[in-house]
Amino acid sequence: MQIFPENVSTYGQKIDDLFWLTSIFVGIAFVISLFVLLYPLIKNNHSRTPKAQHMTGEKMKHFKWILIALVLLLGSDFVILYSEHDAWTEIENVPAKADVHVGITARQWNFIFTYPGPDGILGTADDVVIDEMNSSLHVPINKNVVFELRSQDVIHGFFLANTRLKQDAVPGRTQLRWFNITKEGKYDISCTQICGILHSKMRNFVVAESEEKYKHYTDSLYNATGHKTATTNN
Amino acid sequence: MSTKQPHLSLEVNKVPEGRLGVWILIAGELVIFGGLIASYLLSRLRYPQWSEMTVHTSTLIGAINTVVLLCSSYTIVRAHEAAQKLDVAKVTRWMSLTVLGGLIFLIDKSIEYTREISEGFTFTSPQLQHSGNYVDSLFWSYYYIMTGLHSLHVLVGMIVMIIIMVQIKKGKNLHRVELAGMYWHMVDLIWIFLFPLLYIAK
Amino acid sequence: MELTSHQQSFWSKYIFSTDHKVIGMQYSIMGIIMAGVGGFLAYIFRYNLAYPGASIPLFGHLSPLQYNAFVTCHGMIMVFWVGMPVLLSGLGNLLIPLMIGTDDMAFPTVNMLSFWIFFVSALVLLASFFVPGGAFGGGWTMYPPFSAGGYLNRSPHFFTALFSGTSLMILAVALEFVAMLMGGINFVVTTINKRAKGMTAFRIPILVWFLNIASLIFMFSVGPLVAGAFMLLLDNVVGTGFYDPARGGDPILWEHLFWFFGHPEVYVLLLPALGVLAEIIPVFSRKPLFAYKPIIYLALVSAVLSVLVWAHHQFVSGIDPRMATFFSIGTILISIPFAGIFLSFMATLWGGSISLKVPMMWAIGFIALFLIGGLTGLYLGSNTFDIYAHDTYFVVTHFHYTLFPDVFFGFFAAVYFWFPKFTGKTLNSALGKLHFWCTFFFFNGTWFLLFFNGLHGQHRRINDYADFSLVMQEPYMTFEKISTVCAILLILSQFIFLYNLFTSLAKAKKPTAEVKNPWNSSTLEWVASSPPPHGNFEKYPEVYRGAYEYSLPDSKEDFLPQSESGL
């Protein structure tokens, strides 16, 4: 059984690694705590120890064990906090070098994809908008894809599990996020904020493909008729 | 052991229960208004253009109301003094003046609201919205919810004071005058925060 | 020798009673009934998750709209109409006056009113199922704009909007808050002012301390949400734009106002249950509570920290990344004081003389399960890992591994422990043990495997995962079925308790020796008769020592009750 779905992003491994690091501390803490909890139930059962020892915890020789445990916990806390910081700044801040710009707008009940058009700039007249349920966002592999996340109506959640990325789409805000996918494939986007009756049907895809296939796709997209462009979009 | 409960607390703490209860109530209320005021302030910092909206609130009426509330806080203190001397007649007189102060406050507020509503400023200010001025309509939403909730507290305070005036006619429960006074000071205090925020900060 | 004996009619004795014990019972019974409602809702949507589209026995087909509403109401009901009345109002009312040696609460009439306001709030919530449009279905967190009258729930008419599922839910919660505020004032003033002679601060039992700290946390964190809820109600009913970005409002404002209270609320729920553990563990170990004073200080530190960590619920909401770092640090550090409290409870066991009676089993089971819940919080406190885990079943499993032991194991531990005191009868302990093992086993069966579903990317609040390849594969589909089967068995196991409860109550009162102080506990409530009369004590106790004087080395007595002089 795979614990995580396949990771195909450049930063996803850091999240998985953080999980395993935390698991080391959690595992040790759990085993020791269970022992501390259960052992006295056997060793100090009243049939074995009819009279209890009078320990109030006021003596340091007893209380020090609590302190030691807390210091160890504090130490593991700091290790976790320290380890997480780099990945956090990397994921939450868009890289300086952005290869592809797209717009992702959430609405009830699909994600709308906006391609920048031949001029490569979002927000211009030649942008192409794909607004359908179950549609796919095509991106090239091994490129920094930066997207502008918006919502048209209520709060939605953009979740691309195979990259580990998640971000709520909040109406009234534009948020910049990014990913860089290293393997070709078709990956699920799901919505992680309950948004109404068809919240369970809100599922689109990211199709990551080679630069060649990507260019082929965008060419046919920009040249095709029948797709909404920014000028015809209402 | 004894049959009548020997109170530890009255030897050690000496804080009568009613006062403690009202202090906690006041603290809870202040957190509620604090939440409202904080939300308003955050929005205000984001929308400096709201200073144009505050022009439409009447600083004159607001100032009169501030003075009225401060005076009524004074009268309730005098009522409390009289209660300590067990002078029911005086208590009733001073408390009635406090209730009157509350009434004047509410009448002023009604006059003000009437004028503002006639200018199209309501909870939702549909005229502002129709002209595309959405952000300014939010100011009025905050104005009405803050002053409205406050006025509700003024009204509740007045009703409680009237009830207490009826109860003390037999000379009992005079300690409740002080409790009403504490609540009234809280109402006054909240207004002292609302007044500059909604009326003066232009 | 006269107790306060005033003539009491049926109405004033049982319905509009101002006696704290009756009020405590009323809250507890109401909580149990609402747990039945919340549990039934869970049964329905759990069945749907294992067998999407099936006709659910005792219900029928579940539509997506109903699914959303049931998931939402399950959460709301369990937090506000089960956890709060059972742990805070129920235990607080039943035990505070008895444990501090007094006759009743400081404001008995206010206390009585608080229950009836609570009762009405429950009716308002239940009513929301039956209005046009049904109950609100946007998560117990009620995020706007979805909850602000947008899109599906919005009605242009004032009264239709006022009686919509959304508005009724907001009103119900507001009324519940009023009831809890009234109760909280009672707890704190009573504890400060009405303690028995000799009960100084550090002779007060931990349960009483923790009930007070919980009440204070509640009272001072709920304010902003009351304000925010009022604003949300206006958005719904009048059409204001507090949370509407088109009008300069901000949905994130709601998130802050909600979670500023929402996070401390979990500690409001946790502290009373921890208090129950603090009373039970020393009794069944015959040992003083380890580190009594530090436990109190740790709880106070946690109370302060609890209002500084709320935005860990909002790591991916679009808050400033630097703010997120601040909250991550606080969240991870708040594990320390709670770990200290739990470690102290466990240290109480070492060197003790332990009897695994039924209350003790629930206490130990609580700690074992909460260990899992608490440690999984360490994963989620990290803002980085939360990017992936937020709104997946990892989170859902985490909070069930904390809240279920908290509310249910805590409640049952308390019931089995204090049942003889309040009824003068005893619960069957063989059935009690069976109840415990079934609950423990089936709870784990329901939830443990779902950690893995969450880690594999299964997101939450979805009625049918047919479109999601990460979920529609083995072993995750089987895990869902195992979870549902165990959930049904978990619910059925509670009938063992109900059977035990009713048959035990139906029996005659037991002899005093069996029920006055069956566990040989030292705190004051065990001095009163079983059950305590109106007014509690024939002779009011005075206190000569702390609450946990067990197995003193130089004493021939096994324990020293708080109220006995000359020992």
Side-chain angles (χ1 to χ4, degrees), chain A residues 31 48-49 54 74 77 89 94 107 120:
Chain A
V31 168
R48 284 215 181 100
T49 48
H54 188 260
L74 188 66
D77 284 353
T89 34
V94 296
R107 73 174 193 89

Side-chain angles (χ1 to χ4, degrees), chain A residues 40-41 44-47 49, chain C residues 284-285 349-350 352-356 360:
Chain A
L41 301 183
N44 288 113
N45 187 282
H46 67 100
S47 53
T49 48
Chain C
F284 294 100
S285 311
L349 298 168
W350 280 65
S353 173
I354 298 177
S355 312
L356 270 178
M360 185 64 152

Side-chain angles (χ1 to χ4, degrees), chain C residues 484-521:
Chain C
T484 295
V485 169
C486 288
I488 294 172
L489 292 169
L490 176 65
I491 293 175
L492 290 176
S493 304
Q494 306 318 304
F495 286 98
I496 303 173
F497 168 70
L498 289 175
Y499 172 79
N500 195 355
L501 186 67
F502 287 119
T503 49
S504 303
L505 284 173
K507 298 199 172 108
K509 283 214 169 75
K510 300 275 175 161
T512 308
E514 246 183 87
V515 291
K516 178 132 192 242
N517 191 356
W519 318 116
N520 290 318
S521 168

Side-chain angles (χ1 to χ4, degrees), chain A residues 29-199:
Chain A
F30 184 65
V31 168
I32 295 180
S33 303
L34 262 191
F35 172 77
V36 172
L37 178 68
L38 298 176
Y39 182 68
L41 301 183
I42 306 168
K43 175 158 183 285
N44 288 113
N45 187 282
H46 67 100
S47 53
R48 284 215 181 100
T49 48
K51 174 110 178 165
Q53 296 173 41
H54 188 260
M55 285 186 260
T56 59
E58 283 160 320
K59 293 211 179 82
M60 190 42 84
K61 75 171 177 181
H62 298 135
F63 190 70
K64 71 174 185 214
W65 292 107
I66 308 274
L67 289 175
I68 292 172
L70 290 181
V71 166
L72 287 173
L73 181 61
L74 188 66
S76 7
D77 284 353
F78 276 119
V79 171
I80 295 173
L81 286 170
Y82 179 74
S83 315
E84 70 174 8
H85 189 70
D86 277 343
W88 175 255
T89 34
E90 183 185 346
I91 299 172
E92 294 288 300
N93 296 301
V94 296
K97 179 175 170 290
D99 303 307
V100 174
H101 279 207
V102 288
I104 300 179
T105 303
R107 73 174 193 89
Q108 288 168 320
W109 287 278
N110 62 289
F111 289 95
I112 303 171
F113 303 122
T114 307
Y115 293 86
D119 68 352
I121 302 173
L122 265 184
T124 52
D126 65 352
D127 290 1
V128 176
V129 176
I130 309 283
D131 182 2
E132 287 156 26
M133 289 181 79
N134 301 314
S135 64
S136 299
L137 172 71
H138 286 248
V139 297
I141 56 168
N142 298 318
K143 296 281 181 209
N144 291 342
V145 176
V146 175
F147 60 95
E148 297 179 7
L149 186 64
R150 298 184 178 83
S151 168
Q152 271 186 2
D153 39 42
V154 298
I155 298 182
H156 296 271
F158 174 87
F159 183 35
L160 189 52
N162 293 95
T163 62
R164 309 290 182 260
L165 179 66
K166 179 184 291 108
Q167 182 59 44
D168 280 359
V170 181
R173 292 185 183 213
T174 302
Q175 302 186 84
L176 288 174
R177 287 291 184 275
W178 72 285
F179 52 80
N180 183 322
I181 298 181
T182 55
K183 184 176 168 192
E184 290 190 49
K186 190 173 182 187
Y187 307 110
D188 280 4
I189 303 173
S190 52
C191 175
T192 52
Q193 279 298 149
I194 188 167
C195 53
I197 190 172
L198 289 184
H199 168 63

